[in-house]
Structure formats: structure tokens, C-alpha cells
Amino acid sequence: MVPMTRVRCIVFNAALGALDYRVPTGMDAPPGSVVVLPLGPRQILGLVWDEGELPGDDYPEHKLRAVLEVLPVPPLPAPLRRLISWCADYYLAPLSAVARMALSSSAALKGGGTVTEYRLTGEEPARMTPQRLQALDLLQGEQATMRELAEIAGVSEAVLRGMLGQGLLEPVLVDSDRPYPAPDPQFAAPDLAEQQAAAAADMVAAVKAHRFQPFLLDGVTGSGKTETYFEAVAAALEAGRQVLVLLPEIALTAAFLSRFEKRFGTQPVTWHSSLKASERRRAWRQVAFGGARVVVGARSALFLPFADLGLIVVDEAHEIAFKQDDGVRYNARDVAVMRGHFEAVPVVLASATPALESLQMAEAGRYTRLVLPSRFGGALLPKIAVVNLTEMQPPRGRWLAPPLVEALADRLDKGEQSLLFLNRRGYAPLTLCRHCGFRFKCPNCSAWLVEHRLSQRLACHHCGHEVPPPPVCPECGEPDCLVACGPGVERIADEVGELMPGARVAVVTSDTLASPAAAAEFVAQAEAKAIDVIVGTQLVTKGFHFPELTLVGVVDADMGLDGGDLRAAERTYQQIAQVAGRAGRGAKPGEVLIQTRHPKAAVIAALASGDRDAFYAAETEARREAGAPPFGRWAAIIVSSEDEAEARDAARAIGGAQPREPGVLILGPAPAPLSLLRGRHRYRLLIAARRTAEVQKLIKGWLAPLRFPPGVRVAVDIDPYSFV
Ligand code: ADP
Ligand code: ZN
């Protein structure tokens, strides 16, 4: 008798756990294979997992059902399988939930397909119209879908279909998942400055050696970090391997794509949530088959099934956008380093304002620190000054103090650009009734509704709840009595418009730059000097390079400091240093004005004096003394339910069952600062442990025996970034 092959499979139902199946003779299903399995009367998706890695059932051999089909994609490679296991263990997430992040395009799993593209036949047209002439001219050498050709030719699809009927265009059937054009590592290699060349050499050596080595590429804004790590990208391409570049925001992608194309002759493959299903499918398949050489993406790209990865870059690595706070709660910066470890490739964390955790790793010798201390091309770092708002107040109902207004007017006279930074979307964060004091609150969250005047709505920034601004107060019925309190970027833009009627003002937030196309349009306008004043949120603090921008104004430097979050000071420092870094990147020197009520606060003083090291040193000491990360390990437990009493009881039950262990402090349960979120009442516990404590094991053992009503959700957040 032929021995039977038994495989243990992850199925995508957290309640089921791993299940065993039989592999029929003639079928090949090695670990990582994506398979179709029978379950009762249904067929479900499964993932063959490594032998001995998962507790499973002892289901008798003769009762095992057979795997139905192995899907036509390469098995998930071993390093990715190890990453998935590691994430599940470290973040205390169900293995199936992490594995699902790797199978992120269901269409891709089903195999290839075709699409019809069109190209010119070379026939001479019998009847010429100006539009056909234009199309014939612009479509030389092009082959694409009708829609894409219409865009290239600047004519309607109807015109092209007419041409097809006349035999001027012909259809070509192509593989819809074909490989992408390969970037050329030699296309336009720049001359690197000495400091860039030295840093690049270290990264290139690690790429060539196919060795795990984390780098902290620590370079001031404008030092040319991108050009420097592009050398490592080129080395990976030369070696025939793939590259992953992570960016914190989709809005940064457009600028990155054009820089990449200038350097490597073609655009990289993009991966983010707003891709069309067909684009996702092609990208996923080509990542797996090796025909996508460089992928630039959001944090979810970390779980793509690269066939042969050679390098990972995390740009703006300090950004908190790399932390995912729903579903599997992971930090992409840390997961990137783990993936590099499993793949045996270097990982580059690039930033002008590294996370304290990363600096600490460099200090401890775990990361190689590469420093670019000055700007590329001799540009100087901007001059930074503080505007003390307790002495120089803006007029009532305004937010820009006289020195900032003067500086703006001066730039406008000279035809230079300015940037005003305020990390608050919309027009005003709070609307109230002057007559009865009513405040507009979200029904689903403990938060005020933010007025958005451009789109005429009051919106909750937590759950998306929206209402049109009512003509009368909903409480007392009084007309014309609603007042906006406090500023958002739209209000600042209005203020600039009133002070300087001729100025061309652009509001830049995630509302206005929602797509890569919108971001590209903004960059083009700013570069063409069609914008005088940019008013933006944290979105404009990083990545952008506008040589004519010479003034940066920070409208409210104190905003991020209240709240008492662990990283409040660090984040304020990073945001302001980054936004300051947008000034004076070209030939003209830059100036930064920081409006604050606390000019003596350590973080403001450090920004003004440019003493980054002193700030980080003080911050590091404070964290060390408090036993806070990275010197201690923190985790949070968030308990929620639509029913307030149910949430409170569950939180108390967890609190009551807390383990006592030396070196582990458990705080709470207490109502979360955001005690209501999307209709769920929330309680939090914080676990603060020493570095060496086995926090995951502790939490697992603590929560495992507890049972809750079905409406209760218990989420664990390891290394939390958010405390609301
Ligand atoms: P950073 O990311 O460190 O803030 P950038 O990578 O944006 O800095 O570089 C600043 C500017 O200098 C960019 O316009 C970039 O194209 C240019 N630059 C950097 N290095 C070089 C180089 N070696 N040759 C030519 N231009 C460079
Ligand atoms: Zn809400």
C-alpha cells in the first residue's frame, strides 16, 4: 500500500483552527500551497502549513478527506511562512488572520487570464478627421486597452472604435498578468556626494552578500537619502532580485514614482488599498512569479509573496502610519526587520527624525547607523525662530501672529512659496450654539463633529458619521446662532485669503489628496509655482521637495503636546522638524516660524536651537527612568461592546483575573479616553513590564480561560502607539 500523505492546513475561519487532509496520489501540495478543501458540504480555501508547526487534530487517517485542488500559484515561500508564524505569536493574532494578509488578492489565486489591447496596424486612413490624425500621431508604438489609448490620444473611445472598424487599429490578446517592464539599474546613476557614497557602499555590500543587516539611514532633510538607498536598490536589481519599498502614505507615492522613473527608466509596481482588483491581481501574481522587480507600497505590501527578495526599504520609518491599529495590530517597521531576518536580506530604515526605538537599536549595536549630516548640493538647513503667542497675539478670531503674517507677505512679494502647517483637517474642530451652548457631538463616538466648510458637512473623524450643517440649532431652534470654535486648515486658508487677497492658496489634507492622481496634480501645481501658500496637515510634512518654498509656519506647535501620550514630545519634534525640512531646499535659504505658548518647553527649545541630540538624549533618559519603551515592554488590552455594562463587566473580569508577576505592572481597567468609538463602549488595561518579561505568554495564559458574551471584543495591542 502507498503511504498516505497527510497535510495540516490553515483554514480561514478563526473558530476552526488547523485541519488535517489527505493529499491524493499524483497531487503535489508542499507547505505554502494554496488549496481548495472540502468542509461539510462546502468548499473552502486553505493553506498547507509546515509539518510540526501547528497543533492539530488526531483525526483518524481513514476518515481524512482529500484536498480537492492546488491553486495555480507558487506555494508561499518559507521566509514568508516564518514571518506569518512570527507575527501570529508576537502580536497574539490568529494565524489565519495573519495568513489572510498574505493572500490579499483572491482573483490572483485563480490563475491567469487575458485582456484585449489594441495597436495601430500601419494602414493609411481613407478618410481623415483632425481627431484621427491626432490619434494616429500620438498612438505610434503604443499598445493598451481602449480606455488607456483614448487617454493617451486625447480622443473619445468612440473615435477609436471608428478607427478599429476602418482597420486602422487591431486587437491583440495579451496575458492580463504579464510581467512589468524591468527597471534598469544603470539607467541614470547620479554622482553621489561623498557622504552619500560612503553610506551607499555599506548597504550595497550587504545586498551583494545576501545578508540580514538592519540599517538606520539617518540623514537630515534634503540630504539625499532617496538617491543613496537607490544605490542599494540598483545592487539588488543587478543581482536579479526583488525590492520592497514601504511608504507611510499613498499621497507620497506619486512623487516617489517619478523620482524612481528618472533613476531607473520605468515606474515601480505599486501596492495599496485603492488599487483596482485587476491591478491587485497582476501585482500579486507577478510578485510571486518574480516579474515585479520593485514594489512600492503601503504597510500591507509586507505580506506579499516575493519570489526572491533582495532588499527592504522603509522610508520615513519613524511614521506612526506604519502601525496598524485594527485587525492584526502590527508595526510594519518592526515586521519589515523580521522579514529581512527571515529572508536574509538588508533592511534600510530611512528617516531624518528616527524613532527613539530605532536610535536605541543603533546605540545598542543591533542596527548599523549611516549618517548624512548635511543637505545635498550645499543647501543650508533653514533658520528656525519661535513666535511667542503669549506676547504676540493674533487679533481676535485669527490664528496667525504678526511676525508670521509679515513673513508670508514678504514671500508673496518676492514670488516665493510658503507652507503653513496645522495638523487638523476641516474648518473648525468644534461647533456650538451661541444661544443655548449646544455642542455638535458624534452619536457613535466620544468626539466632537468637525466642520468641513469646503464640502459643507459636519463630520466625525473617527467613524465617518456626517451631517449637513443645519440652518437652526437642533437643541433650541434658534437660527444663525452656530459658531465655529478653533481653527482647522480650511480656516487658516480663509485667513490667508483675507489677509492677502491675491495669494493662491492650496489646502492639502487627506481629504484633498485622497488619490495618487490628486497628489500628482498638487505636486505639478506646486512645482509650476501655481501655488503661493500651502496650508496642510501632517501630510505635507514629509517627502515633498519644492525648491521655491522658503517659509514654513507652524500654526500651533503645542497642539500635539497635550494629552500626555508616551510619544507626544517625540512626535511633536518629528513633525515640526520634518515640516521645517521642507523650507529652503533649493538655492534660496529657508526660514521657519514656530507659533507656541510654551517657548521654554524642552521640545520647542530643542527645535529652535537645532539640538536634536540633546532632545533625544533627554527623552531617552526620561523613558529609561519610567521603564517605558524601548526600555520596558508595553501592551494594551482593549475591551469593547455595544453594551456599556457588558463592556464594563468584561473589563472587570479581566482585571480581576490579572496575574501577579514580579516586574509586571498592570494598570486599569479604566474607561478609554475615547470611551465610545463607532458605537462601542471601551475600556483599557495597560501592561507595563520589564524588557525581559515574556509579555505574550503572560497575556495568553491570562485571557485563555476567560469567557465573554458574544458581543464583547477583547483586543490585544502589543507595543501600542495609540492610547485613546
Ligand atoms: P531627503 O529624502 O534626504 O530629504 P532627497 O532625497 O529628497 O532628500 O534629496 C534632496 C534633493 O537633492 C532632491 O531633489 C534630490 O533629487 C537631490 N539629490 C540628492 N542626491 C543627489 C545626487 N547625488 N545627485 C543629484 N541630485 C541629488
Ligand atoms: Zn463618530
Side-chain angles (χ1 to χ4, degrees), residues 442-447 449 459-465 676-679:
C442 176
N444 314 314
C445 307
S446 29
L449 294 182
C460 171
H461 285 181
H462 296 285
C463 72
H465 171 85
L676 184 66
L677 179 62
R678 292 183 207 97

Side-chain angles (χ1 to χ4, degrees), residues 83-105:
L83 185 80
I84 292 170
S85 292
W86 179 86
C87 279
D89 285 346
Y90 187 85
Y91 292 112
L92 293 177
L95 191 59
S96 59
V98 185
R100 192 185 285 122
M101 297 197 295
L103 303 181
S104 41
S105 161

Side-chain angles (χ1 to χ4, degrees), residues 521-582:
E521 173 66 21
F522 161 66
V523 170
Q525 288 216 348
E527 280 174 352
K529 293 184 71 174
I531 300 172
D532 300 311
V533 183
I534 301 165
V535 186
T537 57
Q538 52 82 29
L539 205 60
V540 292
T541 59
K542 57 209 159 228
F544 294 114
H545 179 78
F546 302 132
E548 292 297 320
L549 202 160
T550 57
L551 173 71
V552 165
V554 177
V555 176
D556 183 355
D558 310 327
M559 205 169 87
L561 285 173
D562 31 78
D565 175 316
L566 167 70
R567 297 182 180 83
E570 180 189 355
R571 207 170 293 161
T572 296
Y573 185 88
Q574 287 166 335
Q575 275 185 347
I576 296 179
Q578 289 285 348
V579 73
R582 300 310 112 199

Side-chain angles (χ1 to χ4, degrees), residues 190-193 196 219-227 259 376 543 545 582 585:
D191 288 328
L192 293 185
Q196 289 178 310
V220 297
T221 53
S223 57
K225 292 184 286 297
T226 314
E227 265 72 16
R259 279 180 81 169
F376 178 80
H545 179 78
R582 300 310 112 199
R585 293 168 75 92

Side-chain angles (χ1 to χ4, degrees), residues 91-276:
Y91 292 112
L92 293 177
L95 191 59
S96 59
V98 185
R100 192 185 285 122
M101 297 197 295
L103 303 181
S104 41
S105 161
S106 48
L109 305 177
K110 298 200 181 98
T114 52
V115 307
T116 307
E117 293 188 342
Y118 297 85
R119 65 181 175 212
L120 293 176
T121 54
E123 290 291 312
E124 284 295 320
R127 211 163 41 80
M128 273 302 201
T129 66
Q131 286 195 314
R132 284 185 187 174
L133 210 58
Q134 176 184 334
L136 280 178
D137 188 30
L138 290 171
L139 294 183
Q140 289 301 328
E142 300 285 355
Q143 174 179 317
T145 62
M146 275 292 180
R147 173 147 29 101
E148 289 161 346
L149 288 184
E151 205 159 285
I152 296 168
V155 301
S156 73
E157 285 185 49
V159 171
L160 296 184
R161 272 193 294 275
M163 291 171 67
L164 179 68
Q166 278 210 310
L168 303 178
L169 282 174
E170 63 184 356
V172 195
L173 210 59
V174 295
D175 177 4
S176 52
D177 303 327
R178 63 209 172 282
Y180 297 88
D184 174 4
Q186 312 280 5
F187 185 77
D191 288 328
L192 293 185
E194 209 170 302
Q195 61 179 19
Q196 289 178 310
D202 279 9
M203 294 186 281
V204 166
V207 169
K208 286 190 172 155
H210 209 314
R211 146 179 100 214
F212 170 57
Q213 187 176 357
F215 290 97
L216 179 60
L217 180 57
D218 180 2
V220 297
T221 53
S223 57
K225 292 184 286 297
T226 314
E227 265 72 16
T228 307
Y229 73 67
F230 273 175
E231 292 309 292
V233 173
L237 288 171
E238 300 269 11
R241 288 199 283 274
Q242 295 168 291
V243 177
L244 169 62
V245 180
L246 292 182
L247 297 179
E249 318 250 8
I250 302 180
L252 294 176
T253 314
F256 182 89
L257 294 184
S258 69
R259 279 180 81 169
F260 187 93
E261 186 169 7
K262 277 186 201 133
R263 170 66 179 81
F264 294 106
T266 185
Q267 293 203 345
V269 178
T270 54
W271 181 267
H272 50 76
S273 55
S274 52
L275 287 186
K276 293 199 288 272

